[in-house]
Amino acid sequence: MLVKTKAIVINCIPYNDSTNIVHLYTEQYGMASYLVSNPKSRKSGLKRAFFQPFTLIEIDADYKGSRQMQRIKDVRCIYPCTEIACNPVKNTVTLFLSEVLIRSLREAEKNSALFEYLFQSVQLLEYCDKGLANFHIVFLIKLIRYLGLYPNMDNVGRNWYFDLAGGEFV
């Protein structure tokens, strides 16, 4: 079945001379792995530049639920992130966060809230001029809420602190 969906590139790994494995977080299917053939000509629609970490793309994929690896038919860039690719600080932050995401996002089901958070975070990183030194920290703190690790802060009073040993605010 041919499916069109938005996706965020998490990472791209060379499989052999003619194929790459691309890990994407998609709007419809969550975390998914795709096989992408390397372009054989300059006119090919599947350019290597589309599969850099934190690239926002829209894909046409041949999706079959029985396969672990899907095939991408066509790719379009939704939002060009030129600043992330050209700025060495933003590029380094992107590489670090893609490594964290590839190890922490294992769900292969739709999570619209997490996809929207990742999508907006990439756009924020693209526009951000100040505070880059703390971007990854803020990103990870907000990410743990979507992973189900955020502490309960309903009854937290003033001057309370988080006891790591007990796992509660005291």
Side-chain angles (χ1 to χ4, degrees):
M1 162 173 63
L2 196 61
V3 177
K4 181 182 282 192
T5 184
K6 292 180 183 177
I8 301 165
V9 178
I10 304 300
N11 74 350
C12 180
I13 302 168
Y15 179 65
N16 58 25
D17 290 341
S18 63
T19 310
N20 293 327
I21 298 174
V22 180
H23 298 282
L24 303 175
Y25 196 83
T26 63
E27 187 176 32
Q28 292 183 5
Y29 299 107
M31 193 68 169
S33 299
Y34 292 87
L35 286 173
V36 178
S37 299
N38 289 335
K40 293 179 176 47
S41 70
R42 291 182 182 220
K43 295 181 181 179
S44 175
L46 299 175
K47 305 274 189 242
R48 176 93 171 130
F50 287 136
F51 302 111
Q52 299 300 316
F54 277 29
T55 304
L56 304 174
I57 57 176
E58 184 177 52
I59 61 170
D60 292 333
D62 184 19
Y63 186 81
K64 293 182 182 170
S66 61
R67 292 191 300 201
Q68 279 188 324
M69 300 261 189
Q70 310 302 328
R71 284 251 181 216
I72 292 180
K73 298 293 183 187
D74 192 30
V75 178
R76 288 166 303 288
C77 186
I78 297 174
Y79 185 82
C81 295
T82 56
E83 187 69 23
I84 290 176
C86 296
N87 187 333
V89 175
K90 289 183 181 182
N91 197 354
T92 304
V93 169
T94 300
L95 292 175
F96 168 71
L97 291 178
S98 72
E99 287 296 320
V100 171
L101 290 175
I102 197 67
R103 285 168 173 66
S104 61
L105 297 179
R106 297 290 182 190
E107 57 190 39
E109 59 189 42
K110 182 178 180 177
N111 187 343
S112 299
L114 178 57
F115 178 81
E116 195 61 36
Y117 169 69
L118 294 174
F119 198 85
Q120 290 176 356
S121 295
V122 172
Q123 290 177 334
L124 180 65
L125 181 60
E126 174 68 19
Y127 281 123
C128 185
D129 290 332
K130 298 177 184 174
L132 285 175
N134 295 328
F135 181 86
H136 63 289
I137 297 170
V138 174
F139 177 87
L140 292 174
I141 288 171
K142 290 183 178 181
L143 178 67
I144 61 172
R145 177 170 291 190
Y146 297 101
L147 298 178
L149 301 171
Y150 206 72
N152 183 7
M153 298 179 61
D154 292 337
N155 299 323
V156 176
R158 195 169 170 90
N159 296 327
W160 288 37
Y161 68 94
F162 188 72
D163 179 23
L164 290 174
E168 62 185 354
F169 284 94
V170 293

